[in-house]
Amino acid sequence: NAGVTQTPKFRVLKTGQSMTLLCAQDMNHEYMYWYRQDPGMGLRLIHYSVGEGTTAKGEVPDGYNVSRLKKQNFLLGLESAAPSQTSVYFCASSYWGTSGRVAYNEQFFGPGTRLTVL
Amino acid sequence: QKEVEQDPGPLSVPEGAIVSLNCTYSNSAFQYFMWYRQYSRKGPELLMYTYSSGNKEDGRFTAQVDKSSKYISLFIRDSQPSDSATYLCAMTPTSGTYKYIFGTGTRLKVLA
């Protein structure tokens, strides 16, 4: 199993350009997420999806759009890139597991996409 | 004030040392606590998952939760150079949510 894969690994954009980041998972997980990671800010949730055809806003959704047309794929779009969107983007997928009587949601992360907006 | 505070480090220790990594939080509703390890230029991977207060041990790793003090810890015994990574804490109020709040991460370096 490849787990969670992200395409591309690196990208440099100019202000105002658009792009799409692709996330794919082969674990048949229902839930998928997009995070951004910035120095001193930790991981912040951009958008998430609880199933095929559904999406929801996270903590920092402005300037991003997402789509989940197929269960295994979650796309993150930047319509008009800004320097403030320079970051490392992580995709994750998750399933519900149990430890004793406690249910938990383990998130598996992809390797990340390093995006620079000039 | 951030909901979750974590000392960014870096923390440098000699091989074989006991390492203590900590997070404090402000939301008393948090019930589920996780520790992730992130190697340089990689995605985070789940290390430990604990519910409510108490300790949980897994090999050289022990996770501790003190809800009365709003404080969680990860202890690493007999630390190895391969433990050099950034450690992120994460927490959530209930098991029914998919939204975790992450700490900023502590960078650990174990010197051979």
Side-chain angles (χ1 to χ4, degrees):
Chain A
N1 285 352
V4 179
T5 58
Q6 293 182 233
T7 309
K9 289 185 170 50
F10 305 93
R11 187 72 187 269
V12 178
L13 289 179
K14 293 182 180 177
T15 296
Q17 287 185 319
S18 64
M19 77 164 294
T20 300
L21 282 67
L22 172 63
C23 175
Q25 52 98 1
D26 61 2
M27 296 175 282
N28 202 35
H29 289 169
E30 288 292 335
Y31 317 114
M32 297 188 74
Y33 316 79
W34 276 107
Y35 292 90
R36 59 179 290 173
Q37 187 175 38
D38 303 289
M41 300 294 289
L43 281 162
R44 292 182 292 169
L45 184 65
I46 305 171
H47 286 280
Y48 65 100
S49 168
V50 300
E52 182 178 318
T54 71
T55 62
K57 293 180 180 179
E59 182 185 354
V60 288
D62 293 341
Y64 305 95
N65 56 74
V66 288
S67 64
R68 182 102 181 267
L69 298 178
K70 292 184 179 180
K71 185 177 183 178
Q72 64 268 34
N73 295 338
F74 196 28
L75 277 63
L76 178 71
L78 286 74
E79 289 188 349
S80 180
S84 60
Q85 294 177 304
T86 294
S87 187
V88 182
Y89 292 85
F90 287 101
C91 176
S93 69
S94 72
Y95 76 103
W96 285 101
T98 54
S99 177
R101 291 185 296 171
V102 177
Y104 64 91
N105 188 303
E106 178 173 356
Q107 298 190 7
F108 294 80
F109 285 82
T113 295
R114 292 182 174 271
L115 175 66
T116 301
V117 183
L118 302 175
Chain B
Q1 183 189 4
K2 293 179 182 175
E3 277 193 288
V4 178
E5 299 276 0
Q6 189 174 6
D7 189 328
L11 180 62
S12 292
V13 300
E15 184 175 356
I18 296 174
V19 176
S20 172
L21 303 165
N22 312 295
C23 285
T24 58
Y25 61 95
S26 57
N27 188 344
S28 58
F30 287 142
Q31 298 254 34
Y32 296 81
F33 306 91
M34 290 135 287
W35 285 96
Y36 280 81
R37 177 175 61 196
Q38 184 176 19
Y39 290 114
S40 181
R41 296 183 176 265
K42 301 287 186 184
E45 55 179 341
L46 184 66
L47 262 184
M48 302 281 286
Y49 184 102
T50 53
Y51 169 69
S52 194
S53 287
N55 292 359
K56 185 174 182 180
E57 191 173 317
D58 184 3
R60 296 185 295 110
F61 298 90
T62 299
Q64 195 172 77
V65 176
D66 181 351
K67 290 189 70 183
S68 62
S69 301
K70 298 191 183 70
Y71 190 87
I72 68 170
S73 300
L74 178 71
F75 297 97
I76 307 174
R77 289 184 300 280
D78 187 26
S79 57
Q80 303 295 309
S82 59
D83 295 327
S84 297
T86 296
Y87 291 80
L88 301 143
C89 63
M91 48 199 78
T92 184
T94 72
S95 65
T97 180
Y98 319 105
K99 299 181 187 179
Y100 292 169
I101 307 299
F102 284 85
T104 53
T106 298
R107 195 152 51 96
L108 171 67
K109 191 166 186 179
V110 181
L111 305 169

